Amino acid sequence: MKHMIPFLAKDPVVAIVRLQGIIASAGAGVRLSDAGLAPLIEKAFRRGRPRAVALVINSPGGSPAQSSLIAARIRRLSSETGVPVVAFVEDVAASGGYWLAVAADEIYADANSILGSIGVISAGFGLNGLIERYGIERRVYTAGKSKSMLDPFRPENPDDVARLRDLQDQIHDGFIAHVKARRGPKLADDPRLFSGEVWVGERAREMGLIDGIGHIVPVMKERFGKKTRFVTYKQRRPFLSRFGASVVADALSGIEDRAAFARFGL
Protein backbone atom coordinates (compact mmCIF):
# COMPACT_ATOMS: atom_id res chain seq x y z
CA MET A 1 0.00 0.00 0.00
CA LYS A 2 2.94 2.33 0.60
CA HIS A 3 3.37 3.05 -3.11
CA MET A 4 -0.22 4.42 -3.19
CA ILE A 5 0.37 7.05 -0.47
CA PRO A 6 2.01 10.16 -2.03
CA PHE A 7 3.88 11.46 1.06
CA LEU A 8 5.69 8.23 1.91
CA ALA A 9 8.89 7.05 0.27
CA LYS A 10 8.03 4.57 -2.44
CA ASP A 11 9.74 1.27 -3.01
CA PRO A 12 11.86 1.21 -6.16
CA VAL A 13 10.12 -0.20 -9.24
CA VAL A 14 11.63 -2.19 -12.10
CA ALA A 15 9.47 -2.51 -15.21
CA ILE A 16 9.79 -5.85 -16.99
CA VAL A 17 9.10 -6.18 -20.72
CA ARG A 18 8.88 -9.80 -21.86
CA LEU A 19 10.13 -10.36 -25.41
CA GLN A 20 9.18 -13.97 -26.11
CA GLY A 21 8.98 -15.61 -29.53
CA ILE A 22 9.67 -14.97 -33.19
CA ILE A 23 10.21 -11.42 -34.42
CA ALA A 24 7.83 -10.68 -37.30
CA SER A 25 5.37 -8.02 -38.41
CA ALA A 26 2.60 -10.57 -38.97
CA GLY A 27 1.69 -14.19 -38.48
CA ALA A 28 -0.44 -16.47 -36.35
CA GLY A 29 -0.08 -16.38 -32.59
CA VAL A 30 1.98 -13.83 -30.68
CA ARG A 31 4.73 -12.22 -32.73
CA LEU A 32 7.22 -9.59 -31.63
CA SER A 33 6.69 -6.50 -33.77
CA ASP A 34 7.26 -2.80 -33.27
CA ALA A 35 3.55 -2.02 -33.67
CA GLY A 36 2.51 -4.74 -31.24
CA LEU A 37 5.11 -3.87 -28.60
CA ALA A 38 4.98 -0.07 -28.83
CA PRO A 39 2.22 0.46 -26.20
CA LEU A 40 3.90 -1.94 -23.76
CA ILE A 41 7.33 -0.41 -24.13
CA GLU A 42 5.91 3.11 -23.75
CA LYS A 43 4.12 2.13 -20.52
CA ALA A 44 7.20 0.38 -19.17
CA PHE A 45 9.31 3.51 -19.45
CA ARG A 46 6.73 6.13 -18.48
CA ARG A 47 4.41 4.53 -15.92
CA GLY A 48 5.31 4.62 -12.23
CA ARG A 49 8.76 6.19 -12.60
CA PRO A 50 10.73 2.93 -12.85
CA ARG A 51 14.35 2.82 -11.76
CA ALA A 52 15.11 0.54 -14.71
CA VAL A 53 13.45 -1.31 -17.55
CA ALA A 54 14.38 -4.99 -17.69
CA LEU A 55 14.04 -6.84 -20.99
CA VAL A 56 13.42 -10.55 -20.47
CA ILE A 57 14.36 -12.07 -23.83
CA ASN A 58 13.68 -15.51 -25.23
CA SER A 59 13.81 -15.24 -29.02
CA PRO A 60 15.53 -17.12 -31.85
CA GLY A 61 15.23 -14.05 -34.10
CA GLY A 62 13.21 -13.15 -37.16
CA SER A 63 12.72 -9.96 -39.14
CA PRO A 64 15.79 -7.67 -39.24
CA ALA A 65 13.61 -4.61 -39.85
CA GLN A 66 11.31 -5.33 -36.90
CA SER A 67 14.34 -6.08 -34.70
CA SER A 68 15.83 -2.73 -35.64
CA LEU A 69 12.56 -0.83 -35.10
CA ILE A 70 11.96 -2.35 -31.66
CA ALA A 71 15.56 -1.75 -30.57
CA ALA A 72 15.44 1.86 -31.81
CA ARG A 73 12.22 2.49 -29.85
CA ILE A 74 13.82 1.13 -26.67
CA ARG A 75 16.89 3.34 -27.11
CA ARG A 76 14.80 6.44 -27.85
CA LEU A 77 12.63 6.00 -24.77
CA SER A 78 15.64 5.27 -22.57
CA SER A 79 17.23 8.51 -23.78
CA GLU A 80 14.04 10.55 -23.33
CA THR A 81 13.26 9.28 -19.82
CA GLY A 82 16.77 8.70 -18.49
CA VAL A 83 15.74 5.16 -17.47
CA PRO A 84 18.51 2.55 -17.94
CA VAL A 85 17.82 -0.75 -19.69
CA VAL A 86 19.09 -4.16 -18.57
CA ALA A 87 18.50 -7.34 -20.61
CA PHE A 88 18.13 -10.82 -19.14
CA VAL A 89 18.32 -13.74 -21.56
CA GLU A 90 16.41 -16.96 -20.86
CA ASP A 91 16.82 -19.86 -23.33
CA VAL A 92 18.07 -17.95 -26.33
CA ALA A 93 18.82 -14.49 -27.72
CA ALA A 94 20.03 -15.29 -31.20
CA SER A 95 20.07 -13.34 -34.45
CA GLY A 96 17.24 -10.78 -34.11
CA GLY A 97 16.85 -11.83 -30.47
CA TYR A 98 20.40 -10.70 -29.81
CA TRP A 99 19.71 -7.50 -31.78
CA LEU A 100 17.04 -6.75 -29.14
CA ALA A 101 19.37 -7.64 -26.27
CA VAL A 102 21.99 -5.20 -27.53
CA ALA A 103 19.44 -2.39 -27.14
CA ALA A 104 20.09 -2.71 -23.39
CA ASP A 105 22.88 -0.97 -21.52
CA GLU A 106 23.83 -4.27 -19.88
CA ILE A 107 23.12 -7.89 -20.76
CA TYR A 108 22.90 -10.83 -18.33
CA ALA A 109 22.17 -14.46 -19.11
CA ASP A 110 21.76 -17.83 -17.50
CA ALA A 111 24.76 -20.16 -17.53
CA ASN A 112 22.91 -22.24 -20.15
CA SER A 113 21.56 -19.43 -22.33
CA ILE A 114 22.44 -19.45 -26.04
CA LEU A 115 23.50 -16.14 -27.58
CA GLY A 116 24.89 -14.75 -30.81
CA SER A 117 24.09 -15.89 -34.34
CA ILE A 118 25.11 -12.47 -35.64
CA GLY A 119 24.35 -13.19 -39.27
CA VAL A 120 21.55 -13.28 -41.85
CA ILE A 121 19.73 -16.32 -43.18
CA SER A 122 17.21 -16.93 -45.96
CA ALA A 123 15.60 -20.27 -46.74
CA GLY A 124 13.12 -21.66 -49.24
CA PHE A 125 12.28 -24.59 -51.49
CA GLY A 126 12.91 -25.40 -55.15
CA LEU A 127 9.71 -26.88 -56.57
CA ASN A 128 10.41 -26.72 -60.31
CA GLY A 129 11.09 -30.47 -60.53
CA LEU A 130 7.85 -31.25 -58.73
CA ILE A 131 5.59 -29.30 -61.09
CA GLU A 132 7.41 -30.69 -64.14
CA ARG A 133 6.71 -34.21 -62.90
CA TYR A 134 2.98 -33.51 -62.93
CA GLY A 135 3.01 -31.65 -66.25
CA ILE A 136 2.27 -28.27 -64.71
CA GLU A 137 3.49 -25.24 -66.62
CA ARG A 138 4.46 -22.12 -64.67
CA ARG A 139 3.47 -18.82 -66.36
CA VAL A 140 4.81 -15.55 -64.98
CA TYR A 141 4.79 -12.18 -66.76
CA THR A 142 6.83 -9.28 -65.41
CA ALA A 143 8.01 -5.79 -66.30
CA GLY A 144 11.56 -5.72 -65.03
CA LYS A 145 13.91 -8.68 -65.40
CA SER A 146 14.47 -9.02 -61.63
CA LYS A 147 10.80 -8.86 -60.65
CA SER A 148 10.48 -12.63 -60.36
CA MET A 149 13.67 -13.15 -58.36
CA LEU A 150 14.05 -16.54 -56.65
CA ASP A 151 10.78 -17.95 -57.98
CA PRO A 152 10.59 -21.39 -56.25
CA PHE A 153 8.83 -22.90 -59.28
CA ARG A 154 11.74 -22.14 -61.62
CA PRO A 155 15.34 -23.42 -61.67
CA GLU A 156 17.69 -21.46 -59.46
CA ASN A 157 19.24 -18.49 -61.25
CA PRO A 158 22.85 -17.62 -60.25
CA ASP A 159 22.16 -13.92 -60.79
CA ASP A 160 19.25 -14.09 -58.35
CA VAL A 161 21.43 -15.81 -55.75
CA ALA A 162 24.11 -13.13 -56.17
CA ARG A 163 21.52 -10.39 -55.65
CA LEU A 164 20.17 -12.13 -52.55
CA ARG A 165 23.65 -12.45 -51.08
CA ASP A 166 24.26 -8.76 -51.71
CA LEU A 167 21.08 -7.94 -49.79
CA GLN A 168 22.14 -10.26 -46.98
CA ASP A 169 25.57 -8.62 -46.80
CA GLN A 170 23.97 -5.19 -46.45
CA ILE A 171 21.76 -6.36 -43.58
CA HIS A 172 24.67 -8.21 -41.98
CA ASP A 173 26.80 -5.05 -42.11
CA GLY A 174 24.02 -3.13 -40.36
CA PHE A 175 23.72 -5.84 -37.69
CA ILE A 176 27.48 -5.76 -37.06
CA ALA A 177 27.47 -1.96 -36.86
CA HIS A 178 24.63 -2.06 -34.32
CA VAL A 179 26.45 -4.58 -32.12
CA LYS A 180 29.73 -2.67 -32.30
CA ALA A 181 28.03 0.63 -31.52
CA ARG A 182 26.32 -0.81 -28.44
CA ARG A 183 28.99 -3.21 -27.10
CA GLY A 184 32.13 -1.42 -28.35
CA PRO A 185 35.29 -2.35 -26.42
CA LYS A 186 33.48 -5.12 -24.53
CA LEU A 187 33.65 -7.33 -27.62
CA ALA A 188 36.43 -9.88 -27.96
CA ASP A 189 38.83 -9.54 -30.89
CA ASP A 190 37.75 -12.82 -32.47
CA PRO A 191 36.91 -13.36 -36.17
CA ARG A 192 34.16 -15.83 -35.24
CA LEU A 193 32.13 -13.15 -33.47
CA PHE A 194 30.21 -12.06 -36.58
CA SER A 195 30.26 -15.41 -38.38
CA GLY A 196 26.79 -16.51 -37.27
CA GLU A 197 28.11 -18.81 -34.52
CA VAL A 198 26.42 -19.07 -31.12
CA TRP A 199 27.86 -19.34 -27.63
CA VAL A 200 26.57 -20.51 -24.25
CA GLY A 201 26.65 -18.67 -20.93
CA GLU A 202 30.20 -18.11 -19.72
CA ARG A 203 31.68 -18.48 -23.20
CA ALA A 204 29.32 -15.74 -24.39
CA ARG A 205 30.66 -13.54 -21.60
CA GLU A 206 34.24 -14.23 -22.70
CA MET A 207 33.27 -13.16 -26.24
CA GLY A 208 31.85 -9.91 -24.86
CA LEU A 209 28.27 -10.70 -25.87
CA ILE A 210 27.04 -10.34 -22.28
CA ASP A 211 28.20 -8.56 -19.13
CA GLY A 212 27.68 -11.42 -16.72
CA ILE A 213 25.79 -14.48 -15.57
CA GLY A 214 22.77 -13.44 -13.54
CA HIS A 215 19.01 -13.57 -13.09
CA ILE A 216 16.59 -10.67 -12.99
CA VAL A 217 15.36 -10.69 -9.37
CA PRO A 218 18.69 -11.04 -7.53
CA VAL A 219 20.51 -8.68 -9.90
CA MET A 220 17.87 -5.97 -9.66
CA LYS A 221 17.41 -6.32 -5.89
CA GLU A 222 21.15 -6.15 -5.34
CA ARG A 223 21.17 -2.93 -7.36
CA PHE A 224 18.04 -1.20 -6.06
CA GLY A 225 17.36 -2.85 -2.71
CA LYS A 226 15.46 -5.78 -1.24
CA LYS A 227 12.13 -3.95 -1.46
CA THR A 228 12.29 -3.55 -5.23
CA ARG A 229 8.95 -4.20 -6.89
CA PHE A 230 8.53 -5.69 -10.35
CA VAL A 231 5.81 -4.75 -12.83
CA THR A 232 5.55 -6.96 -15.91
CA TYR A 233 4.37 -5.90 -19.38
CA LYS A 234 3.83 -8.61 -21.99
CA GLN A 235 1.83 -9.22 -25.12
CA ARG A 236 -1.38 -11.19 -24.89
CA ARG A 237 -2.55 -13.83 -27.29
CA PRO A 238 -5.08 -12.62 -29.90
CA PHE A 239 -8.60 -12.42 -28.43
CA LEU A 240 -10.18 -15.16 -30.55
CA SER A 241 -7.32 -17.61 -30.01
CA ARG A 242 -7.96 -17.51 -26.27
CA PHE A 243 -11.33 -19.14 -26.97
CA GLY A 244 -10.11 -21.75 -29.43
CA ALA A 245 -11.38 -19.85 -32.46
CA SER A 246 -8.13 -20.21 -34.40
CA VAL A 247 -7.00 -23.74 -33.63
CA VAL A 248 -5.38 -24.37 -37.02
CA ALA A 249 -3.53 -21.04 -37.05
CA ASP A 250 -2.27 -21.64 -33.51
CA ALA A 251 -1.09 -25.13 -34.45
CA LEU A 252 0.81 -23.82 -37.46
CA SER A 253 2.26 -21.03 -35.35
CA GLY A 254 3.41 -23.57 -32.78
CA ILE A 255 5.16 -25.62 -35.47
CA GLU A 256 6.88 -22.50 -36.80
CA ASP A 257 8.00 -21.54 -33.31
CA ARG A 258 9.33 -25.01 -32.57
CA ALA A 259 11.27 -25.06 -35.84
CA ALA A 260 12.86 -21.67 -35.08
CA PHE A 261 13.93 -22.68 -31.57
CA ALA A 262 15.03 -26.15 -32.77
CA ARG A 263 17.83 -24.52 -34.78
CA PHE A 264 19.53 -23.99 -31.43
CA GLY A 265 18.75 -27.41 -29.98
CA LEU A 266 15.86 -26.10 -27.86
mmCIF file of all heavy atoms in Angstrom, residues 2-27:
data_model
loop_
_atom_site.group_PDB
_atom_site.id
_atom_site.type_symbol
_atom_site.label_atom_id
_atom_site.label_comp_id
_atom_site.label_asym_id
_atom_site.label_seq_id
_atom_site.Cartn_x
_atom_site.Cartn_y
_atom_site.Cartn_z
ATOM 1 N N LYS A 2 2.118 1.140 0.437
ATOM 2 C CA LYS A 2 2.938 2.334 0.596
ATOM 3 C C LYS A 2 3.092 3.099 -0.703
ATOM 4 O O LYS A 2 3.133 4.329 -0.714
ATOM 5 C CB LYS A 2 4.309 1.941 1.161
ATOM 6 C CG LYS A 2 5.212 3.126 1.425
ATOM 7 C CD LYS A 2 6.411 2.742 2.286
ATOM 8 C CE LYS A 2 7.278 1.712 1.629
ATOM 9 N NZ LYS A 2 8.494 1.432 2.403
ATOM 10 N N HIS A 3 3.162 2.373 -1.849
ATOM 11 C CA HIS A 3 3.372 3.048 -3.115
ATOM 12 C C HIS A 3 2.143 3.860 -3.555
ATOM 13 O O HIS A 3 2.226 4.650 -4.478
ATOM 14 C CB HIS A 3 3.752 2.034 -4.203
ATOM 15 C CG HIS A 3 2.656 1.067 -4.518
ATOM 16 N ND1 HIS A 3 2.407 -0.043 -3.753
ATOM 17 C CD2 HIS A 3 1.742 1.049 -5.527
ATOM 18 C CE1 HIS A 3 1.393 -0.723 -4.266
ATOM 19 N NE2 HIS A 3 0.966 -0.073 -5.329
ATOM 20 N N MET A 4 0.995 3.688 -2.835
ATOM 21 C CA MET A 4 -0.217 4.417 -3.187
ATOM 22 C C MET A 4 -0.383 5.689 -2.348
ATOM 23 O O MET A 4 -1.275 6.483 -2.585
ATOM 24 C CB MET A 4 -1.433 3.508 -2.999
ATOM 25 C CG MET A 4 -1.390 2.248 -3.871
ATOM 26 S SD MET A 4 -2.773 1.133 -3.570
ATOM 27 C CE MET A 4 -4.144 2.144 -4.133
ATOM 28 N N ILE A 5 0.467 5.888 -1.336
ATOM 29 C CA ILE A 5 0.374 7.050 -0.465
ATOM 30 C C ILE A 5 1.446 8.049 -0.893
ATOM 31 O O ILE A 5 2.637 7.774 -0.796
ATOM 32 C CB ILE A 5 0.570 6.653 1.008
ATOM 33 C CG1 ILE A 5 -0.462 5.577 1.397
ATOM 34 C CG2 ILE A 5 0.450 7.879 1.915
ATOM 35 C CD1 ILE A 5 -0.274 5.022 2.779
ATOM 36 N N PRO A 6 1.069 9.246 -1.379
ATOM 37 C CA PRO A 6 2.010 10.160 -2.025
ATOM 38 C C PRO A 6 3.110 10.704 -1.131
ATOM 39 O O PRO A 6 4.166 11.052 -1.607
ATOM 40 C CB PRO A 6 1.112 11.285 -2.542
ATOM 41 C CG PRO A 6 -0.120 11.209 -1.708
ATOM 42 C CD PRO A 6 -0.309 9.757 -1.379
ATOM 43 N N PHE A 7 2.905 10.803 0.200
ATOM 44 C CA PHE A 7 3.880 11.456 1.061
ATOM 45 C C PHE A 7 4.890 10.485 1.667
ATOM 46 O O PHE A 7 5.791 10.902 2.396
ATOM 47 C CB PHE A 7 3.157 12.222 2.179
ATOM 48 C CG PHE A 7 2.245 13.281 1.643
ATOM 49 C CD1 PHE A 7 0.868 13.117 1.690
ATOM 50 C CD2 PHE A 7 2.755 14.436 1.057
ATOM 51 C CE1 PHE A 7 0.028 14.086 1.169
ATOM 52 C CE2 PHE A 7 1.916 15.407 0.546
ATOM 53 C CZ PHE A 7 0.544 15.239 0.593
ATOM 54 N N LEU A 8 4.738 9.211 1.402
ATOM 55 C CA LEU A 8 5.691 8.227 1.909
ATOM 56 C C LEU A 8 6.675 7.840 0.815
ATOM 57 O O LEU A 8 6.341 7.848 -0.368
ATOM 58 C CB LEU A 8 4.949 6.974 2.399
ATOM 59 C CG LEU A 8 4.031 7.159 3.627
ATOM 60 C CD1 LEU A 8 3.369 5.848 3.981
ATOM 61 C CD2 LEU A 8 4.810 7.703 4.815
ATOM 62 N N ALA A 9 7.886 7.509 1.244
ATOM 63 C CA ALA A 9 8.889 7.055 0.273
ATOM 64 C C ALA A 9 8.416 5.773 -0.390
ATOM 65 O O ALA A 9 7.948 4.855 0.278
ATOM 66 C CB ALA A 9 10.218 6.833 0.976
ATOM 67 N N LYS A 10 8.523 5.733 -1.698
ATOM 68 C CA LYS A 10 8.033 4.571 -2.443
ATOM 69 C C LYS A 10 9.149 3.572 -2.682
ATOM 70 O O LYS A 10 10.310 3.941 -2.856
ATOM 71 C CB LYS A 10 7.442 5.027 -3.777
ATOM 72 C CG LYS A 10 6.228 5.946 -3.628
ATOM 73 C CD LYS A 10 5.702 6.377 -4.974
ATOM 74 C CE LYS A 10 4.503 7.304 -4.824
ATOM 75 N NZ LYS A 10 3.983 7.758 -6.135
ATOM 76 N N ASP A 11 8.767 2.311 -2.692
ATOM 77 C CA ASP A 11 9.741 1.273 -3.006
ATOM 78 C C ASP A 11 10.154 1.406 -4.465
ATOM 79 O O ASP A 11 9.346 1.776 -5.323
ATOM 80 C CB ASP A 11 9.130 -0.113 -2.780
ATOM 81 C CG ASP A 11 8.799 -0.366 -1.316
ATOM 82 O OD1 ASP A 11 9.455 0.252 -0.458
ATOM 83 O OD2 ASP A 11 7.879 -1.163 -1.042
ATOM 84 N N PRO A 12 11.412 1.120 -4.767
ATOM 85 C CA PRO A 12 11.858 1.208 -6.164
ATOM 86 C C PRO A 12 11.115 0.210 -7.047
ATOM 87 O O PRO A 12 10.787 -0.898 -6.611
ATOM 88 C CB PRO A 12 13.352 0.883 -6.078
ATOM 89 C CG PRO A 12 13.524 0.176 -4.777
ATOM 90 C CD PRO A 12 12.480 0.712 -3.849
ATOM 91 N N VAL A 13 10.856 0.630 -8.285
ATOM 92 C CA VAL A 13 10.123 -0.201 -9.242
ATOM 93 C C VAL A 13 11.015 -0.522 -10.432
ATOM 94 O O VAL A 13 11.711 0.354 -10.955
ATOM 95 C CB VAL A 13 8.851 0.524 -9.735
ATOM 96 C CG1 VAL A 13 8.178 -0.275 -10.854
ATOM 97 C CG2 VAL A 13 7.890 0.741 -8.588
ATOM 98 N N VAL A 14 10.987 -1.770 -10.861
ATOM 99 C CA VAL A 14 11.627 -2.190 -12.099
ATOM 100 C C VAL A 14 10.538 -2.690 -13.037
ATOM 101 O O VAL A 14 9.761 -3.579 -12.681
ATOM 102 C CB VAL A 14 12.678 -3.294 -11.859
ATOM 103 C CG1 VAL A 14 13.165 -3.869 -13.192
ATOM 104 C CG2 VAL A 14 13.849 -2.758 -11.062
ATOM 105 N N ALA A 15 10.445 -2.092 -14.213
ATOM 106 C CA ALA A 15 9.468 -2.513 -15.215
ATOM 107 C C ALA A 15 10.068 -3.628 -16.064
ATOM 108 O O ALA A 15 11.189 -3.498 -16.563
ATOM 109 C CB ALA A 15 9.076 -1.336 -16.096
ATOM 110 N N ILE A 16 9.334 -4.699 -16.199
ATOM 111 C CA ILE A 16 9.793 -5.849 -16.986
ATOM 112 C C ILE A 16 9.018 -5.917 -18.292
ATOM 113 O O ILE A 16 7.782 -5.910 -18.296
ATOM 114 C CB ILE A 16 9.588 -7.169 -16.217
ATOM 115 C CG1 ILE A 16 10.397 -7.170 -14.911
ATOM 116 C CG2 ILE A 16 9.982 -8.360 -17.091
ATOM 117 C CD1 ILE A 16 10.115 -8.379 -14.038
ATOM 118 N N VAL A 17 9.725 -5.978 -19.407
ATOM 119 C CA VAL A 17 9.105 -6.177 -20.716
ATOM 120 C C VAL A 17 9.530 -7.552 -21.221
ATOM 121 O O VAL A 17 10.720 -7.789 -21.451
ATOM 122 C CB VAL A 17 9.520 -5.092 -21.729
ATOM 123 C CG1 VAL A 17 8.878 -5.366 -23.090
ATOM 124 C CG2 VAL A 17 9.133 -3.712 -21.233
ATOM 125 N N ARG A 18 8.576 -8.446 -21.375
ATOM 126 C CA ARG A 18 8.877 -9.798 -21.857
ATOM 127 C C ARG A 18 8.864 -9.813 -23.385
ATOM 128 O O ARG A 18 7.881 -9.437 -24.019
ATOM 129 C CB ARG A 18 7.870 -10.817 -21.328
ATOM 130 C CG ARG A 18 7.990 -11.086 -19.836
ATOM 131 C CD ARG A 18 7.335 -12.396 -19.463
ATOM 132 N NE ARG A 18 7.965 -13.521 -20.135
ATOM 133 C CZ ARG A 18 9.014 -14.200 -19.648
ATOM 134 N NH1 ARG A 18 9.546 -13.844 -18.490
ATOM 135 N NH2 ARG A 18 9.522 -15.206 -20.319
ATOM 136 N N LEU A 19 9.980 -10.252 -23.967
ATOM 137 C CA LEU A 19 10.128 -10.365 -25.411
ATOM 138 C C LEU A 19 10.320 -11.843 -25.740
ATOM 139 O O LEU A 19 11.427 -12.357 -25.788
ATOM 140 C CB LEU A 19 11.322 -9.523 -25.882
ATOM 141 C CG LEU A 19 11.249 -8.033 -25.535
ATOM 142 C CD1 LEU A 19 12.533 -7.321 -25.937
ATOM 143 C CD2 LEU A 19 10.042 -7.378 -26.190
ATOM 144 N N GLN A 20 9.206 -12.517 -25.948
ATOM 145 C CA GLN A 20 9.183 -13.968 -26.113
ATOM 146 C C GLN A 20 8.664 -14.344 -27.484
ATOM 147 O O GLN A 20 7.560 -13.958 -27.862
ATOM 148 C CB GLN A 20 8.285 -14.594 -25.042
ATOM 149 C CG GLN A 20 7.858 -16.028 -25.291
ATOM 150 C CD GLN A 20 8.890 -17.039 -24.846
ATOM 151 O OE1 GLN A 20 9.589 -16.805 -23.865
ATOM 152 N NE2 GLN A 20 8.987 -18.156 -25.551
ATOM 153 N N GLY A 21 9.469 -15.079 -28.272
ATOM 154 C CA GLY A 21 8.983 -15.614 -29.530
ATOM 155 C C GLY A 21 9.688 -15.074 -30.753
ATOM 156 O O GLY A 21 10.727 -14.409 -30.678
ATOM 157 N N ILE A 22 9.111 -15.355 -31.902
ATOM 158 C CA ILE A 22 9.670 -14.972 -33.190
ATOM 159 C C ILE A 22 9.392 -13.496 -33.463
ATOM 160 O O ILE A 22 8.331 -12.978 -33.123
ATOM 161 C CB ILE A 22 9.067 -15.844 -34.306
ATOM 162 C CG1 ILE A 22 9.486 -17.304 -34.112
ATOM 163 C CG2 ILE A 22 9.491 -15.356 -35.683
ATOM 164 C CD1 ILE A 22 8.815 -18.270 -35.059
ATOM 165 N N ILE A 23 10.351 -12.831 -34.086
ATOM 166 C CA ILE A 23 10.207 -11.420 -34.417
ATOM 167 C C ILE A 23 9.662 -11.309 -35.833
ATOM 168 O O ILE A 23 10.321 -11.721 -36.793
ATOM 169 C CB ILE A 23 11.554 -10.690 -34.300
ATOM 170 C CG1 ILE A 23 12.144 -10.891 -32.898
ATOM 171 C CG2 ILE A 23 11.413 -9.208 -34.618
ATOM 172 C CD1 ILE A 23 13.608 -10.516 -32.786
ATOM 173 N N ALA A 24 8.461 -10.775 -35.978
ATOM 174 C CA ALA A 24 7.832 -10.676 -37.298
ATOM 175 C C ALA A 24 6.713 -9.657 -37.236
ATOM 176 O O ALA A 24 6.091 -9.465 -36.189
ATOM 177 C CB ALA A 24 7.283 -12.025 -37.755
ATOM 178 N N SER A 25 6.423 -9.020 -38.373
ATOM 179 C CA SER A 25 5.367 -8.016 -38.408
ATOM 180 C C SER A 25 3.986 -8.633 -38.477
ATOM 181 O O SER A 25 2.990 -7.976 -38.192
ATOM 182 C CB SER A 25 5.567 -7.084 -39.609
ATOM 183 O OG SER A 25 5.537 -7.829 -40.822
ATOM 184 N N ALA A 26 3.904 -9.913 -38.853
ATOM 185 C CA ALA A 26 2.602 -10.568 -38.973
ATOM 186 C C ALA A 26 2.787 -12.065 -38.807
ATOM 187 O O ALA A 26 3.895 -12.585 -38.849
ATOM 188 C CB ALA A 26 1.973 -10.255 -40.332
ATOM 189 N N GLY A 27 1.652 -12.753 -38.629
ATOM 190 C CA GLY A 27 1.687 -14.194 -38.485
ATOM 191 C C GLY A 27 0.731 -14.635 -37.401
ATOM 192 O O GLY A 27 0.240 -13.836 -36.601
#
